[in-house]
Amino acid sequence: MGKVLMKGNEVIAEAAVHAGCKYFFGYPITPQSELVAYMARRLPEVGGLFLQAESEVAAINMVYGAAGTGVRVMTSSSSPGFSLKQEGISYLVGAELPALIVNVVRGGPGLGNIQPAQSDYFQVTKGGGHGDYHTPVLAPSTLQEIIDLTEAAFDIADRYRTPVILLGDGMLGQMMEPVEFKELSEREPEQKEWATTGTRGDGKPRIISSLELNADALEKRNELLQKKFALIKQNESRYETFETEDADYIVTAYGTAARIAMNAINKVRKDGLKIGMIRPITLWPFPEQPFIETRDRVKGYLSVEMSAGQMVEDVRLAVEGRAPVSFFGRTGGVVPTQEEIYDQIIKLAGGVEV
């Protein structure tokens, strides 16, 4: 297809179409409304179905219904709307239904504002609804990576029969970058033996539900879910490292914050300081391995976030107290600058006072 200049929200939508998604149920909310509008135009062109629900609660329950038939389906929202979907996400996990859920995060708490933030980290990584569960979370940092991770999200959802979250922010959703898609080809729908597509008189009825009134039976279901989460944690952890081999200090960040931190690290290395970077791509499962490999030889870590400090807790758990872990963040939709991160790195390394 060649490179095209697109807005991040539209890239997510087109990437989903390329991944074989033909069903979208959602509700507009800034800063992800362009995704909804794009799907309204695009899905009919590929024989799909777009439906604007009356609310976020309705949308996630429509996703539940469509997912039960085995099709690739998605929804999207931003922080307050994403919060409204939590009960439905828990139902999807309990019923073991695959779906893609996009959260283009904005500043909070409450209605907050429409500026970019990363303050939904706890919600997406710790199980934002009720019950003992996790959902895989993928966090791209470029629009080209959005294409790759959107397809990966659908594949993970189908592989493990689980909802998967693609986590962006208002900056990624609104920025424009040149991206390249593969040629769109017609995908053969995967036959899913559990899907409720009707027996047509020649098979046993299939029932999908998260309801189990017997405590012992529900405990067994939970044990099976926990085994699945352990398998996801073992197989699906993703991360990127940069110049960690000789690093005295390591910066860790994801998404938009990682883009900005990388520029600061390049500048600091030109100044002669040995600084590396660990960029988590999956936020759950959290990529512990690069921290395990570096924690006994580096002098410290700096977690850079667009929040009051959330991912830093997982960094500290992975480091296990073997090196100090510092934090720098901006909140309320304020995006940290390259200069601010540069100053924090200098301060961490014991250089010039800031």
Side-chain angles (χ1 to χ4, degrees):
M1 289 181 60
K3 289 192 174 182
V4 291
L5 185 65
M6 294 182 71
K7 181 174 283 193
N9 286 326
E10 296 177 341
V11 172
I12 298 172
E14 185 62 33
V17 172
H18 275 71
C21 175
K22 290 189 176 181
Y23 300 89
F24 180 96
F25 305 94
Y27 190 82
I29 178 175
T30 309
Q32 64 84 56
S33 294
E34 294 89 351
L35 198 166
V36 180
Y38 189 94
M39 279 302 207
R41 174 180 64 82
R42 187 74 171 102
L43 282 180
E45 296 175 350
V46 295
L49 172 70
F50 167 87
L51 195 153
Q52 179 176 314
E54 64 269 29
S55 70
E56 289 87 353
V57 175
I60 194 65
N61 283 285
M62 291 175 184
V63 168
Y64 182 105
T69 70
V71 300
R72 285 195 160 182
V73 59
M74 69 176 290
T75 185
S76 66
S77 194
S78 183
S79 304
F82 184 76
S83 292
L84 291 172
K85 296 178 187 287
Q86 294 310 307
E87 180 186 40
I89 294 172
S90 178
Y91 279 30
L92 285 164
V93 175
E96 297 190 88
L97 291 175
L100 175 61
I101 303 158
V102 178
N103 183 6
V104 181
V105 183
R106 71 188 218 181
L111 282 175
N113 58 29
I114 61 173
Q115 306 305 318
Q118 295 181 329
S119 46
D120 293 359
Y121 181 93
F122 284 156
Q123 186 179 44
V124 298
T125 60
K126 310 302 181 186
H130 58 286
D132 290 311
Y133 76 89
H134 289 284
T135 49
V137 183
L138 299 171
S141 67
T142 68
L143 302 198
Q144 187 65 48
E145 190 177 35
I146 282 175
I147 297 173
D148 299 331
L149 293 187
T150 299
E151 183 170 2
F154 278 110
D155 290 342
I156 291 170
D158 281 343
R159 188 177 305 130
Y160 298 99
R161 286 185 60 182
T162 183
V164 176
I165 295 170
L166 185 75
L167 191 73
D169 61 64
M171 181 168 285
L172 280 172
Q174 294 296 318
M175 71 167 54
M176 298 186 75
E177 286 183 336
V179 295
E180 190 168 4
F181 292 91
K182 298 176 184 176
E183 289 294 331
L184 181 61
S185 58
E186 187 66 29
R187 287 172 172 248
E188 285 296 323
E190 181 183 345
Q191 298 301 313
K192 299 171 181 176
E193 61 180 19
W194 49 264
T196 54
T197 53
T199 65
R200 296 172 177 83
D202 59 2
K204 293 182 179 180
R206 300 165 184 169
I207 299 174
I208 292 175
S209 175
S210 63
L211 176 66
E212 179 51 74
L213 297 178
N214 182 281
D216 291 333
L218 184 56
E219 183 177 49
K220 288 181 180 178
R221 179 181 291 184
N222 270 276
E223 289 169 351
L224 291 174
L225 287 173
Q226 292 303 317
K227 287 180 181 179
K228 178 166 68 175
F229 300 149
L231 192 62
I232 295 172
K233 190 172 182 179
Q234 175 183 320
N235 295 334
E236 302 300 337
S237 176
R238 301 181 184 214
Y239 60 90
E240 180 182 61
T241 61
F242 173 75
E243 302 284 10
T244 57
E245 295 81 3
D246 68 342
D248 292 324
Y249 295 90
I250 291 178
V251 175
T252 182
Y254 70 92
T256 292
R259 294 172 65 117
I260 304 167
M262 181 63 75
N263 290 330
I265 291 168
N266 285 328
K267 182 180 178 183
V268 168
R269 289 193 75 91
K270 288 179 181 178
D271 293 341
L273 291 177
K274 295 179 179 179
I275 308 296
M277 183 173 188
I278 297 172
R279 179 174 72 92
I281 297 173
T282 52
L283 303 184
W284 193 90
F286 186 75
E288 298 173 348
Q289 191 59 36
F291 296 95
I292 292 171
E293 293 173 356
T294 57
R295 65 193 183 188
D296 289 324
R297 58 179 172 82
V298 301
K299 298 177 182 178
Y301 299 85
L302 174 65
S303 184
V304 177
E305 306 173 41
M306 288 152 53
S307 75
Q310 298 188 20
M311 184 180 73
V312 66
E313 294 191 8
D314 284 332
V315 175
R316 287 176 175 143
L317 286 171
V319 172
E320 292 186 335
R322 303 191 188 190
V325 178
S326 303
F327 167 75
F328 174 70
R330 300 298 302 269
T331 63
V334 178
V335 179
T337 66
Q338 174 185 323
E339 291 73 22
E340 289 174 330
I341 298 172
Y342 174 89
D343 288 344
Q344 291 295 319
I345 295 171
I346 295 298
K347 183 178 179 180
L348 176 70
V352 180
E353 286 291 328
V354 294

